[in-house]
C-alpha cells in the first residue's frame, strides 16, 4: 500500500524522487540550489535519473520527464528510478508530485514505479531483496488523491498477478491447476467463479476446445468468472473472453523450438489479462456487471491428437476443417464466443495471443484491434483506452471478402487462411461465431496481443517476459461503463 505524505518535502526519509517537467517547480529549484540544475541537465542528457546527495546524506533522484503522451510520461519517469535504485538497499521511496499536478499524476507515478519494480522470483532459490515502502508526496493533498493512489496500487497489483500467471512454467499451469489458482484469487476478491470440467465441456458441445485438447494427457477446463455488484445482477453483462492455451506446441503441426515454442507458455496471456481485469473490477468496486470466459487447454501432439484433415463440430453447430493444428486458439475462442451469445451481452471483447502475423504487422509494443465496421465505435474505445494506459492497440480492417480465404472443400470453414493478412483472417474466422441466425448477436471487438504479451526487449515500466499487456486497458474500458467513468 502506498502511503500519502505532505509537508516539508526535503525532510522526508528515504530516496526522494523528483520528476521534472521543463525547468521544474520553483520550490524544488530553490531548495536544492545549483545542484538541481546540474542534475536536471544530466538527467535530460543521459535520459536517466541523476542523483544528488545532500549534506546530511539524503539522496534525491532527479528525473527529466520525457515526451511520451499523456500519463505515460509520468509512468515512465517513476519507472526509470525503479531499476537503477533497486540495488542500493533503499527501504523507502518518496515520489514527489509536482505542485501544479494532482491525483492523476500521482496515480501514474505509482503505477509506473510499481510495475517497473515487478520481479518474477518464484523459481529463484536466492532470497529476493525486500521491496522498499512507497510514499507519494503532494504539497496540498487534493481530495481525490487517496482514491487515485489506491486505484493505482490495485491496477499494478492485478497486472503483476497476470504477469505471474504468464511467467509460470507450463507444467505449473496445466488447465486444472491454472483454473484452481484463478478461482482462489477470484473468490478472495468477491468474484464468482465456476470451473467446468471435461464432462461439462462435452455436455456443452464445445468441439473446438475438445479438439484442441485431444492430444493432451491433461483435461481441459472452461472457467466462468462473474463480477456483478449489488443492483447490477440483471444488467446485460460486458463479456470478456481470453485465449487460455496453457502451452502451445503447435500440436501435430509442431512448432520449431527457437524463438517459437520456447515462448509458448505465454499463450494464455489473453486469459490472464481477462481474469486480472475481472478481479481488478471487483477490487476497485466498479459498479458494472462483467463476465470473463476462459477456455483452457494445452495444445500437444499425442496418440489421439487432432490432425490436419480432421473436421470438428463446434459449439455453434458449424463444422471446421482443421488444416493446421497450430491455429488452435481460434477454435477454442470460437466456442467461447458462441457460448457468450446466450449471456445476452452488452458487448464482447476477446483478447488473444492469436497470430505471429500481429508482430509482423505492428511489432512488439502495439496490439491489433479487429472489429466489424458496425462496431467501429467499440474498436475506437479500445484504441483510446490503449493510448491512455500505454497498452497500445491499433485497428485493422475486417472487410467481408477476407472470409473467402477461409472456404473449405469439405466443411463450413477451414481454420487457416493462408499467408496473407493472417491477423485479419484469424479474426474473420471468429466473426461468424458472434452471430445468431446470420445477424451479429452483440457488438464485438477482437484484440490480438501475441507479441506485446511477452517481451524480448524491456521498455518503460515493462520488463522482459510477461508484460501484463491489456489488464489496465480492460480496466479502463470497464471503468467507462460506470457512470462518470474512473
Ligand atoms: N500462439 C500462436 C500465435 C503466437 C505466435 C503467439 C507468436 C505469440 C507469438 C498461435 O496459436 C499460432 O500458432 N498461430 C499460427 C497460425 C497459423 C498456423 C495460421 C501463426 O501465427 O503462425
Ligand atoms: Mn498455435
Ligand atoms: Zn496459440
Amino acid at each position: 500500500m502506498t502511503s500519502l505524505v505532505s509537508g516539508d518535502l526535503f525532510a522526508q526519509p528515504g530516496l526522494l524522487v523528483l520528476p521534472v517537467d521543463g525547468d521544474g517547480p520553483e520550490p524544488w529549484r530553490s531548495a536544492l540550489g545549483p545542484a538541481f540544475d546540474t542534475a536536471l541537465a544530466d538527467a535530460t542528457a543521459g535520459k536517466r535519473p541523476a542523483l544528488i546527495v545532500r549534506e546530511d546524506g539524503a539522496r534525491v533522484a532527479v528525473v527529466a520527464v520525457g515526451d511520451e503522451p499523456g500519463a505515460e510520461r509520468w509512468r515512465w519517469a517513476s519507472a526509470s528510478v525503479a531499476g537503477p535504485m533497486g540495488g542500493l538497499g533503499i527501504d523507502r521511496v518518496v515520489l514527489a508530485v509536482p505542485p501544479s499536478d494532482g491525483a492523476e499524476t500521482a496515480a501514474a507515478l505509482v503505477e509506473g514505479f510499481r510495475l517497473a519494480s515487478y520481479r518474477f522470483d518464484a523459481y529463484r532459490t536466492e532470497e529476493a531483496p525486500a521491496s522498499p515502502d512507497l510514499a507519494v508526496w503532494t504539497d496540498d493533498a487534493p481530495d481525490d488523491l487517496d482514491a487515485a493512489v489506491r486505484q493505482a496500487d490495485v491496477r499494478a497489483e492485478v497486472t503483476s498477478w497476470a504477469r505471474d500467471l504468464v511467467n509460470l512454467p507450463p507444467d505449473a499451469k496445466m488447465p486444472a491447476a491454472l483454473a484452481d489458482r484463478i478461482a482462489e484469487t477470484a473468490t478472495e476478491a468477491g468474484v464468482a467463479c465456476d470451473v467446468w470440467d471435461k464432462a461439462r465441456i462435452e455436455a456443452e458441445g464445445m468441439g473446438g476446445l475438445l479438439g484442441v485438447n485431444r492430444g493432451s494427457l491433461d483435461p481441459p477446463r472452461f472457467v466462468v468468472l462473474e463480477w456483478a455488484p449489488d443492483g447490477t445482477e440483471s444488467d446485460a453483462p460486458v463479456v470478456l473472453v481470453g485465449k487460455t492455451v496453457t502451452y502451445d506446441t503447435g500440436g501435430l503441426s509442431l512448432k520449431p523450438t527457437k524463438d517459437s515454442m520456447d515462448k509458448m507458455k505465454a499463450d494464455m496471456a489473453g486469459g490472464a489479462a481477462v481474469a486480472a481485469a475481472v478481479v481488478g473490477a471487483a477490487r476497485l468496486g466498479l459498479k458494472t456487471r462483467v463476465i470473463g470466459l476462459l477456455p483452457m487447454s494445452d495444445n500437444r501432439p499425442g496418440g489421439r491428437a487432432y490432425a490436419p484433415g480432421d473436421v470438428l463440430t463446434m459449439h455453434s453447430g458449424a463444422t471446421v476443417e482443421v488444416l493446421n493444428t497450430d491455429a488452435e486458439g481460434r477454435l477454442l475462442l470460437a466456442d467461447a464466443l458462441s457460448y457468450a451469445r446466450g449471456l445476452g451481452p452488452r458487448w464482447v471483447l476477446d483478447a488473444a495471443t492469436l497470430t505471429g502475423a500481429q508482430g509482423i504487422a505492428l511489432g512488439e509494443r502495439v496490439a491489433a484491434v479487429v472489429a466489424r465496421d458496425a462496431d467501429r465505435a467499440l474498436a475506437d474505445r479500445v484504441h483510446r483506452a490503449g493510448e491512455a494506459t500505454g497498452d497500445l492497440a491499433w485497428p485493422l480492417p475486417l472487410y467481408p471478402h477476407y472470409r473467402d480465404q477461409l472456404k473449405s472443400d469439405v466443411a463450413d470453414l477451414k481454420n487457416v487462411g493462408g499467408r496473407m493478412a493472417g491477423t485479419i483472417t484469424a479474426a474473420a474466422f471468429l466473426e461468424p461465431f458472434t452471430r445468431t441466425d446470420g445477424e451479429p448477436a452483440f457488438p464485438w471487438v477482437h484484440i490480438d496481443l501475441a507479441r506485446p504479451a511477452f517481451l524480448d526487449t524491456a521498455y518503460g515500466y515493462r520488463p522482459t517476459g510477461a508484460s501484463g499487456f491489456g489488464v489496465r486497458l480492460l480496466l479502463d474500458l470497464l471503468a467507462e461503463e460506470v457512470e462518470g467513468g474512473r
Side-chain angles (χ1 to χ4, degrees), residues 243 248 255 264 267 324 326 328 330 353-356 416 450:
K243 172 177 172 182
D248 183 10
K255 286 181 185 294
M264 284 304 136
D267 214 17
N324 188 326
D326 199 10
E328 83 297 342
R330 62 195 72 185
T353 49
L354 207 57
T355 65
V416 285

Side-chain angles (χ1 to χ4, degrees), residues 91-328:
D91 59 7
R92 184 169 190 257
V93 172
V94 181
L95 303 171
V97 179
S100 51
D101 283 77
E104 224 176 291
T105 301
L109 288 169
V110 168
E111 222 173 82
F113 188 86
R114 293 226 177 265
L115 289 171
S117 306
Y118 173 85
R119 292 168 53 109
F120 182 66
D121 287 325
Y123 291 84
R124 295 195 193 279
T125 51
E126 210 173 290
E127 210 188 314
S131 48
D133 292 335
L134 190 63
V136 161
W137 176 92
T138 53
D139 62 345
D140 63 348
D143 289 347
D144 44 355
L145 184 70
D146 193 67
V149 167
R150 202 191 70 82
Q151 284 169 13
D153 277 342
V154 170
R155 288 158 64 92
E157 270 169 42
V158 296
T159 303
S160 300
W161 179 57
R163 287 176 175 179
D164 281 345
L165 295 177
V166 173
N167 280 327
L168 276 180
D171 66 353
K173 57 178 174 191
M174 296 305 283
L178 182 61
D180 282 352
R181 241 178 224 273
I182 289 175
E184 194 186 323
T185 300
T187 308
E188 262 173 35
V191 169
C193 183
D194 198 5
V195 178
W196 299 359
D197 63 6
K198 186 172 176 181
R200 176 72 194 274
I201 293 165
E202 283 168 347
E204 294 283 342
M206 295 190 158
L209 176 56
L210 291 164
V212 172
N213 185 251
R214 244 162 52 190
S216 181
L217 295 175
D218 291 74
R221 289 288 184 269
F222 189 90
V223 174
V224 183
L225 298 167
E226 177 164 4
W227 166 242
D230 286 353
T232 68
E233 296 91 340
S234 53
D235 293 352
V238 168
V239 176
L240 305 176
V241 176
K243 172 177 172 182
T244 317
V245 171
T246 59
Y247 193 63
D248 183 10
T249 69
L252 287 172
S253 313
L254 197 66
K255 286 181 185 294
T257 302
K258 193 177 160 352
D259 298 328
S260 179
M261 202 196 298
D262 50 358
K263 296 181 189 163
M264 284 304 136
K265 68 177 186 181
D267 214 17
M268 36 60 76
V274 165
V278 179
V279 167
R283 292 195 48 196
L284 294 171
L286 296 182
K287 286 258 173 286
T288 191
R289 182 172 174 220
V290 50
I291 294 179
L293 303 178
L294 314 183
M296 295 184 177
S297 177
D298 61 348
N299 181 27
R300 282 182 205 257
R304 297 220 184 280
Y306 76 143
D310 273 337
V311 174
L312 304 175
T313 300
M314 308 289 282
H315 177 269
S316 73
T319 56
V320 173
E321 182 187 15
V322 175
L323 287 176
N324 188 326
T325 62
D326 199 10
E328 83 297 342

